[in-house]
Amino acid sequence: MTHLLSFRFSAILLLGLGLLLPGCCANNVCDCPGESQADAIKLVFSSKDFPTNTDLDSIVIQRYPLVIIPASGTNPGTKPETATLIRSAAQAYDTIVINNTTPFSQVSTAKLDQYQYYVRYYPALPVPRKKRPVFAVVIDKVSLKGNLDGNGCCTCYTNTQKVITTRKDSTAGIATAETTNLKDKPVFIITK
């Protein structure tokens, strides 16, 4: 009988500890600094190449999925998503951030590497302003890699690779493409 009581006590103690120990993680607040910006592409216009800051008061960013469905019949095909950034003269050379949820909302689990981006601006000269914006840069490809690192209670995402392939205009010529490693140089400078 005494063996049975000590077995019950041991079993209850182990069961209680088994229920309490996993709960310690639930009380932890995970601090993952920079995780929300880990995949972000940061762009800035060169003040040397764009000396007229009124050129940069309206920036248009279009996002196309990498797989484009052509229009046919009643299907309108793939249309780009468009975000227009209106900026003051003081903000003209501020960083533009393209991220998984900025300036476009995230669709399902697709990250920003599932899209192609067109960044355009409206030149102030000649007057009157052009009705259509001109190309600043086209981001044809984004290559992202990352790891989930954790200690049992907290898991944080760390970006290990961020590379973009860009060009200056709408023609997809191989000779005009430039590849930039944003891990080495975190901000891509847009030049003319």
Side-chain angles (χ1 to χ4, degrees):
M1 181 84 163
T2 56
H3 293 297
L4 190 56
L5 284 175
S6 72
F7 174 74
R8 281 187 188 166
F9 177 73
S10 299
I12 290 172
L13 182 63
L14 287 174
L15 184 61
L17 285 174
L19 292 174
L20 290 176
L21 287 178
C24 74
C25 288
N27 296 329
N28 287 349
V29 175
C30 295
D31 183 25
C32 299
E35 182 179 58
S36 64
Q37 295 291 312
D39 288 337
I41 297 170
K42 297 177 182 177
L43 311 170
V44 70
F45 282 88
S46 162
S47 58
K48 182 181 114 208
D49 289 312
F50 296 89
T52 308
N53 59 10
T54 53
D55 286 355
L56 308 177
D57 61 3
S58 299
I59 306 298
V60 176
I61 303 172
Q62 288 185 306
R63 176 172 87 167
Y64 291 87
L66 293 180
V67 178
I68 294 179
I69 300 167
S72 65
T74 58
N75 179 2
T78 303
K79 300 285 185 200
E81 294 176 78
T82 302
T84 303
L85 309 177
I86 306 298
R87 298 149 34 118
S88 68
Q91 298 169 318
Y93 302 105
D94 284 359
T95 304
I96 297 168
V97 177
I98 300 174
N99 203 351
N100 295 317
T101 58
T102 306
F104 306 99
S105 58
Q106 188 167 11
V107 177
S108 185
T109 59
K111 289 190 162 193
L112 59 100
D113 60 352
Q114 299 299 307
Y115 300 93
Q116 178 185 49
Y117 300 89
Y118 285 56
V119 180
R120 297 178 174 140
Y121 68 98
Y122 288 91
L125 296 174
V127 177
R129 249 185 167 176
K130 289 186 178 182
K131 292 181 181 178
R132 296 183 63 191
V134 298
F135 284 96
V137 69
V138 178
I139 303 171
D140 280 320
K141 184 177 178 186
V142 179
S143 298
L144 299 174
K145 287 188 183 172
N147 292 330
L148 290 172
D149 299 318
N151 62 6
C153 286
C154 288
T155 302
C156 297
Y157 173 76
T158 305
N159 178 282
T160 58
Q161 176 185 324
K162 190 180 343 181
V163 176
I164 60 173
T165 302
T166 59
R167 56 189 159 91
K168 298 280 185 202
D169 57 29
S170 63
T171 60
I174 294 173
T176 62
E178 175 186 338
T179 301
T180 306
N181 184 345
L182 295 179
K183 292 298 281 183
D184 297 337
K185 185 173 84 170
V187 177
F188 180 81
I189 299 172
I190 299 173
T191 59
K192 279 192 178 179

